[in-house]
């Protein structure tokens, strides 16, 4: 049994006229008659009575009409659902994020996806770098956003998604507090407070990178504060300054926060494996992230995607 046989039968059963039914389906009347006869042979019952003047449904035809309509409706719904799936309009995207991604990027991307594809479900998991790297490799997340690079993995595409400018936190009354921006070399002889590497490995690695780029080697002590925002750092007497960002810093922090000049940014990298995508919604989310608007304060990076392949 073919769907076009059911289409032909329903058209005739609705119009009760072969000519009008053929016109509605944009096919010839002989073709229509052949489709209906084949359907009758396959179901083993006469569905229509035909005379030179009228067409009528038999009892079997009336029963078949109800079932045929239901089948055609379900087939149409299935086709529509598959079009939605193929276009990335529905599905689930499993997003793994490093802690620094959470304050600004995650809610921004969730809102953008909701506006663009409201029937796509975004499942967000906040993970430590090691667990996140393993999740990318094992495909237990579809997309990951990290604070900085991860080791190259076969089949995984990595792109610098965006960056957030670094800022410096200074004690109130610090000699540089009245400046609009801070040159890191001016703080080279003062003590920098930095989170525990065991607690925030990606965040501390990003800070060490910016120090290397600036050619600065300050004395570094570990912060007592275990919160990423480090809002308690001014109470730690052996710390003169910290590195932070606008999204991480607490707005009412008892310190002066100034941008770094020349500007340097924390790189946020997006990772995904196109060949292992669980559904087209994953690709839609990636395109939305890479091509869409950024949150205020974030900067677009020009780095091109990098595919990690077997040597």
């Amino acid at each position: 049994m073919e769907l076009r046989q059911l289409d032909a039968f329903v058209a005739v059963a609705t119009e009760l006229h072969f000519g009008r039914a053929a016109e509605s389906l944009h096919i010839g009347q002989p073709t229509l008659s052949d489709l209906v006869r084949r359907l009758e042979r396959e179901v083993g019952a006469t569905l229509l009575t035909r005379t030179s003047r009228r067409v009528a449904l038999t009892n079997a035809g009336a029963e078949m009409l109800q079932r045929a309509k239901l089948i055609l409706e379900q087939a149409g719904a299935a086709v529509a659902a598959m079009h939605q799936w193929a276009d990335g309009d529905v599905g689930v995207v499993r997003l793994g994020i490093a802690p620094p991604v959470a304050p600004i990027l995650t809610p921004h991307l969730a809102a953008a996806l909701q506006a663009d594809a409201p029937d796509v479900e975004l499942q967000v998991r906040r993970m430590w770098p090691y667990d996140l790297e393993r999740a990318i490799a094992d495909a237990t997340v579809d997309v990951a956003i990290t604070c900085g690079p991860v080791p190259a993995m076969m089949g995984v595409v990595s792109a610098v998604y965006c960056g957030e400018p670094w800022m410096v936190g200074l004690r109130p009354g610090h000699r540089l507090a009245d400046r609009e921006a801070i040159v890191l070399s001016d703080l080279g002889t003062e003590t920098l407070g930095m989170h525990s590497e065991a607690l925030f490995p990606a965040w501390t690695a990003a800070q060490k990178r910016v120090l290397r780029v600036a050619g600065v080697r300050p004395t570094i002590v570990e912060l007592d504060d275990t919160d990423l925002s480090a809002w308690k750092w001014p109470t730690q007497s052996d710390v003169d300054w910290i590195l932070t960002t606008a999204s991480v810093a607490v707005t009412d922090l008892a310190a002066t926060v100034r941008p770094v000049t020349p500007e340097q940014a924390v790189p946020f990298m997006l990772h995904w494996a196109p060949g292992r995508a669980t559904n087209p919604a994953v690709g839609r989310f990636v395109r939305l992230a890479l091509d869409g608007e950024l949150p205020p304060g974030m900067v677009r990076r020009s780095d091109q995607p990098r595919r990690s392949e077997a040597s």
Side-chain angles (χ1 to χ4, degrees):
M1 183 185 300
E2 301 174 9
L3 289 179
R4 62 177 185 159
Q5 292 173 306
L6 296 179
D7 270 327
F9 167 69
V10 169
V12 176
T14 302
E15 296 287 348
L16 294 178
H17 191 282
F18 274 81
R20 290 194 297 270
E23 288 179 5
S24 70
L25 294 177
H26 306 289
I27 61 175
Q29 190 168 326
T31 301
L32 177 68
S33 298
D34 180 64
L35 289 170
V36 173
R37 281 194 296 269
R38 285 169 51 196
L39 178 63
E40 289 180 317
R41 285 197 301 269
E42 290 188 25
V43 300
T46 300
L47 304 176
L48 299 163
T49 59
R50 310 159 179 83
T51 68
S52 58
R53 293 186 177 182
R54 65 189 295 269
V55 176
L57 281 170
T58 64
N59 289 337
E63 178 68 20
M64 187 65 188
L65 179 59
Q66 294 181 18
R67 295 178 182 275
K69 285 181 175 179
L70 180 60
I71 291 170
L72 291 173
E73 287 175 1
Q74 291 177 336
V79 170
M82 288 309 299
H83 278 301
Q84 280 191 307
W85 186 87
D87 292 339
D89 291 332
V90 295
V92 175
V93 178
R94 302 167 300 169
L95 174 64
I97 62 167
V101 178
I104 298 295
L105 283 180
T106 302
H108 172 80
L109 287 170
L113 183 64
Q114 174 65 26
D116 187 67
D119 293 324
V120 174
E121 179 186 355
L122 183 64
Q123 297 178 349
V124 181
R125 295 172 59 189
R126 182 169 170 170
M127 308 171 72
W128 298 119
Y130 174 77
D131 295 327
L132 192 50
E133 290 173 18
R134 187 169 56 185
I136 300 169
D138 295 345
T140 53
V141 297
D142 299 307
V143 184
I145 303 178
T146 60
C147 175
V150 299
M153 288 172 275
M154 187 182 301
V156 175
V157 174
S158 298
V160 178
Y161 165 39
C162 65
E164 184 177 19
W166 282 109
M167 304 189 80
V168 170
L170 302 169
R171 294 185 177 281
H174 189 278
R175 61 185 177 84
L176 302 178
D178 59 346
R179 293 189 181 180
E180 293 185 1
I182 303 298
V183 178
L184 290 182
S185 59
D186 290 341
L187 293 168
T189 60
E190 300 186 36
T191 302
L192 169 66
M194 189 176 293
H195 286 93
S196 163
E197 187 172 356
L199 188 60
F200 294 108
W203 187 243
T204 56
Q207 293 188 23
K208 290 177 180 178
R209 281 195 298 273
V210 75
L211 293 175
R212 285 197 299 272
V213 171
V216 179
R217 296 183 179 181
T219 300
I220 298 175
V221 299
E222 186 173 306
L223 291 171
D224 296 333
D225 194 341
T226 57
D227 190 282
L228 182 63
S229 66
W231 64 277
K232 297 179 181 178
W233 82 265
T235 64
Q236 191 170 339
S237 59
D238 58 344
V239 175
D240 296 316
W241 61 289
I242 66 166
L243 280 167
T244 187
T245 63
S247 66
V248 169
V250 177
T251 55
D252 61 351
L253 185 70
T256 299
V257 179
R258 293 287 184 267
V260 170
T261 187
E263 183 181 278
Q264 292 196 55
V266 185
F268 291 108
M269 298 194 68
L270 189 144
H271 316 271
W272 75 103
R276 300 200 301 262
T278 54
N279 62 79
V282 174
R284 182 169 188 160
F285 176 80
V286 170
R287 291 191 297 273
L288 181 67
L290 294 179
D291 300 334
E293 294 294 325
L294 294 176
M298 297 290 177
V299 293
R300 182 70 68 188
R301 303 298 298 269
S302 61
D303 305 59
Q304 296 299 312
R306 167 177 57 84
R307 181 183 295 274
S308 303
E309 299 177 328
S311 58

